[in-house]
Amino acid sequence: MFRVVPLLSKRKEYMRKPLIAGNWKMYKTINEAIALANGLKRELLDFDKADIVICPPFTCLSEVYEVIMESEIKLGAQNLCWEKEGAYTGEISPLMLKDSGCEFVIIGHSERRKYFLESNELINKKIKAALVVGLSPICCVGETLEEREAGKTIEIIKNQLEGCLKGFAIEDMLGMVVAYEPVWAIGTGKNATALQAQEVHKFIRNWLAENFSSGFADNVRILYGGSVKPANIKDLMKEADVDGALVGGASLEVSSFTQIVKNAI
Ligand code: PGA
């Protein structure tokens, strides 16, 4: 009997399940969130060719979870505190996220780095806190336009990876996801080309292989984020190291997010 050996370019199709995550940012009241979640559930109820994750604001997590709990759609949060509990006014702990039904959490999004001054060091603590309770961190990295134009993209990404993933052992990082989100592409309508994304994704995977192991690197899903739309996801997903997307604006409507999920496969 012959064993079917997949082509190299198809490698990712059996090693890494595609993952499409919707980052709702600071949009949607509870009723609006329930309506959006219901719409997505209707369209994507049994869709299991990709992991689908939606990340509503904290205030809607439980209600959205009630809607999607019997579907294939998974829940994520957009941030968390690095501590389990304590006197941290205004913060939300990893355990609270688990308690609300979350399996994923976005960490180190560029908006948090920019407006809330999150450093790689802080992001490292948050990733650790997420992993300890079994939440999958979606660790965001990405360069600004000035950094890209100065030819510093790879240097910046390397620096962010070193800081964010410092001190982890492979066995600590179960479920780890990395999202490459060039800051200049977020919310601008100007996405990175598939080749630009692939270049950085490949660097990230090689860096993971060198610093952890190639087996580990082969299994980590690397998402692209920044103006992902139904019209550009297909090309991005053709690249060998693009395993999915982190979608902002286009995740706020049932039709565009559903179309992105379907076009990604
Ligand atoms: P965008 O946002 O899709 O609206 O560009 C992506 C993100 O910020 O995660």
Side-chain angles (χ1 to χ4, degrees):
M1 285 291 280
F2 290 107
R3 224 178 111 232
V4 179
V5 180
L7 296 170
L8 207 57
S9 62
K10 295 277 175 199
R11 259 175 102 210
K12 66 175 183 174
E13 286 179 18
Y14 66 92
M15 293 187 92
R16 302 183 291 270
K17 188 172 184 183
L19 192 167
I20 308 292
N23 173 10
W24 295 6
K25 307 196 180 185
M26 198 172 69
Y27 292 99
K28 306 293 176 189
T29 60
I30 293 175
N31 282 342
E32 289 166 350
I34 290 172
L36 176 53
N38 268 314
L40 293 172
K41 182 173 146 184
R42 200 174 49 239
E43 296 293 328
L44 298 165
L45 187 66
D46 300 320
F47 193 92
D48 60 1
K49 295 193 191 102
D51 281 338
I52 305 163
V53 181
I54 52 179
C55 306
F58 291 134
T59 49
C60 317
L61 287 174
S62 298
E63 281 82 358
V64 168
Y65 183 61
E66 289 290 313
V67 175
I68 60 173
M69 62 192 288
E70 271 158 22
S71 75
E72 290 287 336
I73 304 171
K74 298 177 167 70
L75 192 66
Q78 301 172 21
N79 183 27
L80 84 179
C81 181
W82 65 91
E83 288 290 347
K84 259 207 324 243
E85 61 180 8
Y88 294 91
T89 303
E91 291 296 307
I92 309 277
S93 81
L95 280 177
M96 292 167 183
L97 296 184
K98 288 275 282 190
D99 198 34
S100 306
C102 290
E103 292 176 55
F104 290 81
V105 57
I106 299 169
I107 302 182
H109 189 280
S110 67
E111 286 150 17
R112 297 218 54 90
R113 292 176 187 260
K114 180 173 172 195
Y115 300 121
F116 304 98
L117 309 181
E118 291 198 2
S119 62
N120 291 328
E121 203 183 358
L122 180 78
I123 293 162
N124 178 262
K125 279 164 78 173
K126 290 187 173 194
I127 294 174
K128 189 170 184 187
L131 289 167
V132 164
V133 299
L135 282 167
S136 287
I138 302 177
C139 169
C140 301
V141 296
E143 82 288 2
T144 63
L145 187 60
E146 300 81 77
E147 289 162 346
R148 173 161 284 267
E149 284 175 347
K152 290 189 174 157
T153 300
I154 294 299
E155 187 189 320
I156 294 293
I157 303 297
K158 180 168 175 272
N159 195 273
Q160 290 173 338
L161 291 170
E162 277 168 3
C164 295
L165 302 184
K166 195 173 173 183
F168 293 135
I170 295 173
E171 57 274 19
D172 298 332
M173 288 197 288
L174 203 69
M176 185 77 204
V177 177
V178 177
Y180 168 55
E181 297 210 303
V183 179
W184 48 271
I186 296 177
T188 58
K190 193 176 161 216
N191 63 290
T193 63
L195 282 179
Q196 283 172 323
Q198 170 58 20
E199 189 191 6
V200 179
H201 283 226
K202 188 164 186 236
F203 170 77
I204 294 172
R205 199 172 311 282
N206 287 343
W207 186 90
L208 292 171
E210 274 165 30
N211 288 274
F212 297 100
S213 76
S214 57
F216 172 74
D218 279 344
N219 282 299
V220 172
R221 290 179 288 186
I222 306 175
L223 315 182
Y224 167 77
S227 297
V228 172
K229 302 278 181 283
N232 57 26
I233 184 72
K234 258 201 181 95
D235 275 352
L236 288 160
M237 289 299 290
K238 278 185 199 147
E239 297 298 330
D241 291 294
V242 178
D243 306 312
L246 181 53
V247 186
S251 72
L252 297 172
E253 303 262 329
V254 174
S255 57
S256 46
F257 191 63
T258 303
Q259 213 47 58
I260 288 173
V261 170
K262 292 186 174 165
N263 289 357
I265 304 308

